[in-house]
């Protein structure tokens, strides 16, 4: 059994890409491992210092995680800012994180280009906060996408450095959790890249989208004028829609449209209608649960309190030990 930590910044609703790429796997993971899933609201401040609607964004992720099947009695599901020990570990780790290595971080270099007038220290030390999220639970596995690999590598560096400085074998080194072939990547609807990668309103299908919204987005998705020779390779935009169909439709449906494409007989209107219907069907239970859980404020409060307590208990133990190792009084 491994200890697993995963954080998500509360910047919006979950889409199909989040579902297939992460959350549906978390539901399986929680049965086998000691899992901590949290909402990284501190991290949000690095890009959105004045958050438009923090509480609602946190709530929507929480509701959607629960609707997808993350069980708060099995996993520890919590909000980062409810566990102040994370901030204390961040402070302590910051003392041994160097300006040079932080400045070399790819995400930092990208972010400072994007927000030239807000190059704050939190942005620079983002990887230290992320390391604190992971090390506070002494996690060994972190399910991260490719874009987070470097951050995870820095977490290992900080863990190793702490151990070396204080001459203890205290923090384990966290490694990426690899879902292997079971990972389904969902492309966006605007013709290129992952779902959610671009901010275009029609790029992503959200788990909470209504059937009408889903149909509209699929009908508007980028296509072309159709195949011209039998068995030709599908261009990216078309392949993307087939990839989504592979995730949500039956294999018969997929084969049916694949054959039509190969014979140059496909009609994108029919294809898209089928795809939209299947997405609507696939998400119908999730949609119902989202609306049901969303209305149950008492339950949500209870879940958040329980998560905060469970996470705090473990985090407090780590902080006590870390303080002792460094030489502070407890
Ligand atoms: N940086 C991650 C992202 O943007 C979110 C995150 C914060 C995280 N802390 C974490 C992920 C700890 C895994 C573990 O996606």
């Amino acid at each position: 059994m491994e200890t697993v930590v995963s954080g998500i910044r509360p910047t919006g609703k979950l889409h199909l890409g989040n579902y297939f790429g992460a959350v549906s796997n978390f539901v399986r993971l929680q049965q086998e491992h000691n899992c901590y899933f949290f909402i990284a609201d501190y991290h949000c401040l690095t890009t959105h210092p004045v958050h438009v609607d923090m509480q609602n964004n946190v709530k929507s992720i929480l509701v959607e995680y629960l609707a997808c099947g993350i069980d708060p009695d099995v996993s520890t599901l919590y909000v980062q800012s409810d566990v102040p020990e994370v901030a204390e570990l961040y402070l302590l780790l910051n003392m041994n994180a160097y300006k040079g290595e932080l400045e070399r971080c790819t995400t930092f270099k990208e972010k400072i280009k994007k927000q030239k007038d807000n190059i704050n220290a939190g942005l620079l030390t983002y990887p230290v906060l992320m390391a604190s999220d992971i090390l506070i639970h002494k996690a060994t596995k972190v399910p991260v996408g490719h874009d987070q690999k470097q951050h995870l590598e820095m977490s290992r560096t900080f863990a190793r450095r702490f151990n070396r400085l204080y001459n203890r074998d205290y923090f384990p080194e966290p490694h990426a959790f690899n879902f292997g072939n079971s990972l389904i990547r969902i492309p966006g609807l605007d013709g290129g890249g992952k779902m959610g990668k671009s901010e275009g309103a029609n790029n992503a299908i959200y788990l909470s989208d209504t059937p009408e919204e889903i149909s509209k987005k699929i009908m508007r998705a980028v296509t072309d004028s159709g195949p011209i020779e039998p068995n030709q390779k599908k261009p990216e935009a078309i392949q993307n829609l087939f990839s989504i169909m592979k995730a949500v439709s039956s294999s018969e449906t997929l084969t049916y449209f694949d054959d039509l494409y190969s014979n140059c007989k496909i009609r994108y209107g029919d294809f898209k209608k089928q795809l939209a219907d299947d997405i609507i069907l696939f998400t119908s239970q999730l949609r119902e649960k989202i609306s049901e859980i969303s209305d149950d404020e008492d339950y949500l409060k209870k879940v958040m309190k329980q998560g905060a307590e469970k996470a705090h208990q473990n985090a407090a133990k780590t902080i006590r030990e870390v303080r002792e190792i460094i030489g502070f009084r407890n």
Side-chain angles (χ1 to χ4, degrees), residues 161-295:
R161 189 172 293 156
F162 180 94
N163 293 349
R164 188 163 32 76
L165 272 173
Y166 300 104
N167 203 14
R168 297 284 173 95
D169 193 14
Y170 184 69
F171 286 123
E173 285 186 31
H175 288 273
F177 194 102
N178 200 339
F179 292 111
N181 291 334
S182 66
L183 196 65
I184 303 173
R185 274 169 238 279
I186 301 290
L189 297 176
D190 51 8
K194 285 202 302 188
M195 185 171 281
K197 198 84 188 165
S198 87
E199 320 243 300
N202 290 322
N203 167 271
I205 304 264
Y206 296 102
L207 302 184
S208 57
D209 277 351
T210 62
E212 295 71 36
E213 284 166 327
I214 294 173
S215 294
K216 230 193 245 166
K217 287 181 187 176
I218 292 297
M219 289 308 177
R220 278 187 198 151
V222 179
T223 50
D224 57 14
S225 50
I228 32 180
E229 3 171 328
N231 303 314
Q232 77 174 61
K233 190 173 178 291
K234 299 184 187 88
E236 193 182 10
I238 306 300
Q239 181 52 51
N240 285 353
L241 295 177
F242 271 93
S243 298
I244 303 177
M245 180 170 264
K246 183 160 190 262
V248 298
S249 304
S250 70
S251 57
E252 290 79 26
T253 302
L254 182 69
T255 309
Y256 175 75
F257 283 101
D258 214 30
D259 289 347
L260 284 180
Y261 188 88
S262 298
N263 303 333
C264 303
K265 291 204 176 113
I266 193 162
R267 285 171 26 183
Y268 288 140
D270 298 344
F271 170 61
K272 284 176 156 184
K273 168 134 196 351
Q274 181 73 49
L275 178 59
D277 286 349
D278 288 347
I279 296 174
I280 291 165
L281 189 68
F282 185 88
T283 50
S284 67
Q285 264 195 13
L286 288 174
R287 206 163 26 250
E288 265 167 46
K289 282 201 193 142
I290 288 170
S291 97
E292 193 183 295
I293 298 172
S294 189
D295 290 336

Side-chain angles (χ1 to χ4, degrees), residues 5-9 38 40 43 126 130 133-134 142 144 148 151:
V5 166
S6 177
I8 182 165
R9 280 173 294 124
F38 73 94
H43 274 110
Y126 185 111
M130 181 157 159
D133 293 325
I134 298 166
V142 185
V144 287
Q148 298 294 315
H151 285 156

